[in-house]
Amino acid sequence: INYFLSKPRFTQVLASTRKLHAGADGSKVSPSAAPERLPFCRVTEEDLAFFRKILAGRTIVDPDLVEPSNVDWLKSVRGSSEVLLRPQTTEEVSQILSYCNSRNLAVNPQGGNTGLVGGSVPVYDEIILSTSLMNKILNFDSISGVLTCQAGCVLENLSFYLEERDYIMPLDLGAKGSCQIGGNVATNAGGLRLLRYGSLHGTVLGLELVLADGQVLDCLSTLRKDNTGYDLKQLFIGSEGTLGVITAVSILCPRKPKSVNVVFLGCETFEQLLKTFQLCKSMLGEILSAFEFLDSECMRLLNTHLKLPNPISDCPFYIVIETSGSDPTHDAQKLHNFLEEAMTSSLVSDGTVATEEAKIKALWSLRERVTEALTHDGFTYKYDISLPVERIYQLVTDMRKHLGNRAKSVVGYGHVGDGNLHLNVTSPSKDPALLAAIEPFVYEWTASCRGSISAEHGLGLKKRNYIYYSKQSQAVALMGNIKAMLDPKGILNPYKTLPDNLKQ
């Protein structure tokens, strides 16, 4: 406690967190406990008859078919929904939400169900509204590079479509084979290319979405400049399905680079890794597209559980650097100069370069498959944190000291380019005592550095009551006001994102 008392803002954070432990009536609210079921109606045979009328063959009630949509990818949270709806059009979504709003039926929008904070599955018996059949590409403008598609398009399929047309998606994730663009936008997913192309707040040009009462809001602009009033789409990017259901997206896509190189390097200290990052930005400049890191514990899990070999000698830290440009000769020379400087200055101890597609994929898999390796190591507690870049790994070190031998593994990896750490703690099985040791320690530590408790995964169910560590109470209250205005009955993802003391 002395550590945190010595840090600026701790008293402010402590004052704010007192609010999250108290409900509107002063009763205590546990940050990690599931909220009580709100007084929504339950689905009747008459409701099912209505859904079957508009979704012939796409109203699913078979428990075995609904079950996969009740469980998150990590198998850490489970709902008890008995109804899965699979619309194909915006009009069908509109009819569903209009009806559910009139009947006071709670709805859980769901994309690829790859979320990591319990935001993609029901908490209780909410109706699951899946966008998986809304998977049509509506238009692609090869001049402007703007792609317009339905929300259920899988990210990897969009990437394949664009690559055939000499373009790429500005977003790349390890879950690209399953995640859907609507869910990506709803959670403001960051991913591996944010350093080069920025966040979805910048690349998404327009959205079509359906509000809780069934109204269709058409903001599906393809213009890069539109300064006529409020930019309403920004409200829904990162809103996690609590304000409306995204049904279509227009997104600005960059040209496919003619030259791609991937470098895998090893460093002895995190300080050397940060200096390498500074050198990298200075010498690679406009062709730098990614700068990722993983620690030796990540490499051990990749070797042990996925049998992925380390392509270089063992090091405490590893870096994945990607360059992408338009001139192979120019890019190769810049990369050569950078590597020569990094090696002669002893910033890196070993490395390898890939220019062929197969080797590029092999090197990237060492970063992208860490999450998969962790699932084989036991029950995983996952934290997605934004920190000042110079502090990004100190949290991993301090967490190891704090937990001692109570955890099986404590690993760190993530996006150095945008200060995003993925901290993961594993144990043989779900352990409430271990969770109590991790939380709120991890959030207090983050708040002491003026960081964010959610860099790119959202708040979902798991983090909703910790929001005050990153947001002032006034800001949280304003979020509640916006939710109440757009969804007065609170039917959309009612147990997610906002803390319990705004819902009671």
Side-chain angles (χ1 to χ4, degrees), residues 264-267 311-315 343 348-352:
F264 193 80
L265 303 175
C267 292
I312 62 176
S313 58
D314 290 341
C315 297
M343 294 295 290
V348 300
S349 53
D350 197 6
T352 183

Side-chain angles (χ1 to χ4, degrees), residues 401-419:
K401 293 177 181 177
H402 174 68
L403 296 179
N405 59 9
R406 287 178 287 184
K408 185 177 179 182
S409 301
V410 178
V411 309
Y413 64 98
H415 319 290
V416 175
D418 46 67

Side-chain angles (χ1 to χ4, degrees), residues 83 104 165 180 190 192 205-206 221 225 293 305 323 339 376 395 402 424 427 483 497:
V83 183
N104 197 33
R165 290 156 179 79
Q180 298 172 13
L192 306 172
L205 302 182
S221 171
K225 286 187 173 183
F293 92 97
H305 299 302
T323 66
L339 291 173
H376 297 283
L395 176 55
H402 174 68
N424 290 256
S427 60
K483 169 71 171 175
T497 302

Side-chain angles (χ1 to χ4, degrees), residues 1-7 10-11 14 402 440-441 444 448:
I1 193 71
N2 289 333
Y3 173 83
F4 293 109
L5 288 173
S6 69
K7 297 297 178 181
F10 179 72
T11 53
L14 185 59
H402 174 68
F441 177 90
E444 291 171 345
S448 74

